[in-house]
């Protein structure tokens, strides 16, 4: 039972840390271009440089 005294605040702290990191990423525009990275991986830059 005494371990819960340490585990519950640690879990709450880690959850708050993860939530604050997600909110920071959301406010800094990390999720603005969702399709760009998915399409960028399909582009072969070597073919365009040779032409």
């Amino acid at each position: 039972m005494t371990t819960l005294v340490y585990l519950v605040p640690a879990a709450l702290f880690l959850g708050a840390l993860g939530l604050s990191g997600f909110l920071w990423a959301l406010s800094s525009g990390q999720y603005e271009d969702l399709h760009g990275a998915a399409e960028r991986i399909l582009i072969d830059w070597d073919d365009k440089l040779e032409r």
Side-chain angles (χ1 to χ4, degrees), residues 1-46:
M1 190 67 178
T2 59
T3 58
L4 288 178
V5 173
Y6 298 110
L7 290 178
V8 170
L12 290 174
F13 173 73
L14 290 175
L17 188 67
L19 181 63
S20 65
F22 172 72
L23 292 176
W24 171 79
L26 194 62
S27 67
S28 67
Q30 295 289 322
Y31 297 108
E32 291 295 322
D33 186 19
L34 295 178
H35 296 290
E39 293 171 359
R40 200 174 310 124
I41 198 168
L42 299 173
I43 298 172
D44 192 10
W45 294 105
D46 293 335

